[in-house]
Amino acid sequence: MFEDQTKLLHQSLKKYFGYDRFRGEQEAIIQNIYNGKDTFVIMPTGAGKSLCYQLPAILLEGTAIVVSPLIALMKNQVDQMRSRDIQAHFLNSTQTKAESNKVKASVLNQETKLLYVAPESLTKQENIDFLRKANISFVAVDEVHCISEWGHDFRPEYRKIKQIIAEL
């Protein structure tokens, strides 16, 4: 079983991202997520952190929810995934109601592998109700340094993430 999973991860790494091998601890992190284990990861910028949740999201059934504080980062991540023919969307304040509804339909139809949401979007009751109906593979919190209450730009919605995940 372990050898089959390792082979699948390496083949998928090559197929979707074009890499021949993992960097640093990526493989162990991805195996943990793939196997449903809670995983806390600290990596420097540019070390391949996003791949650690993107690859399992592609392989697992359902939609992975990625909480991301930056609209530009969400758009960049979604564009990168789509360039690889992977269905990814975001929900944030830049969208019209019609655009948001289209994204939600894609998630409920199990067409979306990654859904990036701002913490403020995640905490809206209508989005919580929607996500309760979705087949969620796992939740990742990206740019987790924003959680620090000691920072100048702390967003109180981060306090609600744990409760919302428990509800889902």
Side-chain angles (χ1 to χ4, degrees):
M1 172 83 171
F2 182 74
E3 288 179 23
D4 291 342
Q5 181 177 314
T6 299
K7 186 176 179 181
L8 172 67
L9 294 179
H10 282 267
Q11 288 172 341
S12 299
L13 177 70
K14 182 67 173 176
K15 176 181 177 181
Y16 294 107
F17 297 93
Y19 300 126
D20 294 317
R21 57 187 166 81
F22 292 100
R23 292 174 20 193
E25 296 297 316
Q26 283 180 323
E27 185 173 359
I29 294 164
I30 291 167
Q31 285 180 347
N32 273 351
I33 296 169
Y34 186 80
N35 291 318
K37 295 180 182 177
D38 288 344
T39 307
F40 182 79
V41 178
I42 298 175
M43 297 174 100
T45 300
K49 170 183 53 164
S50 298
L51 180 92
C52 292
Y53 59 75
Q54 290 169 340
L55 186 58
I58 294 165
L59 299 175
L60 293 169
E61 183 180 320
T63 301
I65 307 302
V66 181
V67 181
S68 179
L70 306 169
I71 290 172
L73 179 61
M74 281 186 226
K75 181 175 179 348
N76 180 276
Q77 296 283 339
V78 167
D79 289 347
Q80 284 183 14
M81 290 294 96
R82 288 181 179 172
S83 74
R84 294 179 169 96
D85 292 324
I86 298 159
Q87 279 283 54
H89 294 94
F90 55 77
L91 281 178
N92 63 42
S93 60
T94 66
Q95 294 168 303
T96 66
K97 186 73 170 168
E99 290 169 330
S100 176
N101 287 339
K102 190 174 179 180
V103 168
K104 290 176 182 180
S106 177
V107 171
L108 294 176
N109 290 332
Q110 298 191 42
E111 299 164 347
T112 300
K113 296 308 291 175
L114 289 137
L115 177 65
Y116 292 81
V117 296
E120 293 80 7
S121 295
L122 179 68
T123 59
K124 287 183 180 177
Q125 190 60 49
E126 73 177 83
N127 288 336
I128 294 170
D129 294 341
F130 145 67
L131 290 171
R132 282 189 182 127
K133 299 174 197 168
N135 180 15
I136 298 171
S137 54
F138 64 90
V139 177
V141 180
D142 201 359
E143 302 297 327
V144 78
H145 65 275
C146 295
I147 292 176
S148 174
E149 292 185 47
W150 300 303
H152 69 284
D153 59 352
F154 175 69
R155 291 154 78 170
E157 291 80 11
Y158 275 103
R159 283 193 190 114
K160 300 174 185 175
I161 293 173
K162 182 179 177 183
Q163 173 191 340
I164 291 168
I165 292 170
E167 286 181 39
L168 300 177

